[in-house]
Amino acid sequence: MKVVGVGCGDGMLTEEAISAISEARLIYGSNRAIERVRRYINTGCTVNVITDYKALRGLPDHAVILSTGDPLLAGLGTLGGEIICGISSLQAAFAALGIPWSNVSVIDAHGKDHEGAITDAAIDCRRSRPVFIIADPKFPVRKLADALHGMDLLIHICQNLGEPGERIITGTPDNPPVPDSTLFCCIVLPNRTE
């Protein structure tokens, strides 16, 4: 099987991903992922919305599984098979901010332990490391800000990356940004003002 990253927003597919999708005879994906690539799906392809993620491991070798963002950044890349990368929210967010991400700590809080993610982020911030948090709609940005209280940091909420409503909201631990979308990630950086 192939696990294909469809990017975190429109226009963020790689040529390799487009090729794999257009040649596929069997595709599985979320509604959002399928809609993002629909124009590349050939007419003879069978397309299925994923209803049981556990059943994906039993798909035939020729199946293509669509993963939003990049399959190995909180995606479906752990299923195995051939992995075709996509443009991730990490890449898009740091590009939008114009900030290098070579030493960033990546924390996956998407559908996972939010408290543990916040603790890990605070530890990394005390070490002056930039932090990228893959959030989900319930991620408590206010609790993150509380854990970072007293540190000279900027908190960026990057939401709807690659979509028409893309927006970056910036705040501090004392005045944190508030997301107004369910699709967002957080970047926490030392406040290096000149």
Side-chain angles (χ1 to χ4, degrees):
M1 87 178 85
K2 291 182 182 177
V3 181
V4 177
V6 299
C8 67
D10 285 335
M12 296 196 182
L13 283 165
T14 64
E15 288 184 22
E16 185 179 12
I18 292 169
S19 177
I21 292 163
S22 63
E23 294 170 7
R25 294 177 293 143
L26 176 63
I27 290 178
Y28 282 79
S30 67
N31 282 318
R32 192 169 122 225
I34 292 167
E35 286 310 309
R36 183 165 296 148
V37 303
R38 185 164 301 282
R39 66 185 173 269
Y40 301 110
I41 298 173
N42 71 59
T43 54
C45 182
T46 302
V47 179
N48 299 290
V49 174
I50 299 170
T51 57
D52 181 4
Y53 283 85
K54 292 179 182 173
L56 294 176
R57 290 193 187 278
L59 292 178
D61 288 343
H62 69 279
V64 170
I65 301 170
L66 305 176
S67 180
T68 54
D70 185 87
L72 293 173
L73 188 65
L76 298 173
T78 58
L79 291 171
E82 180 183 349
I83 297 171
I84 298 175
C85 62
I87 305 298
S88 69
S89 55
L90 183 146
Q91 293 167 292
F94 278 87
L97 290 168
I99 299 169
W101 51 279
S102 57
N103 66 340
V104 68
S105 292
V106 178
I107 298 173
D108 183 0
H110 193 273
K112 297 193 165 117
D113 174 23
H114 291 162
E115 295 298 324
I118 290 169
T119 299
D120 291 345
I123 290 168
D124 285 333
C125 286
R126 285 188 193 95
R127 295 178 181 152
S128 295
R129 295 214 43 187
V131 174
F132 175 81
I133 302 169
I134 304 165
D136 61 29
K138 294 182 181 178
F139 183 76
V141 176
R142 177 79 235 174
K143 284 187 178 182
L144 171 67
D146 290 344
L148 304 175
H149 182 73
M151 294 186 224
D152 190 17
L153 303 167
L154 293 176
I155 303 170
H156 302 283
I157 299 295
C158 305
Q159 57 188 38
N160 300 322
L161 292 166
E163 302 293 340
E166 180 176 315
R167 182 172 174 218
I168 297 175
I169 310 163
T170 301
T172 64
D174 294 331
N175 186 21
V178 178
D180 54 16
S181 171
T182 57
L183 295 174
F184 70 94
C185 57
C186 302
I187 295 176
V188 184
L189 300 167
N191 186 9
R192 296 189 174 112
T193 55
E194 311 210 81

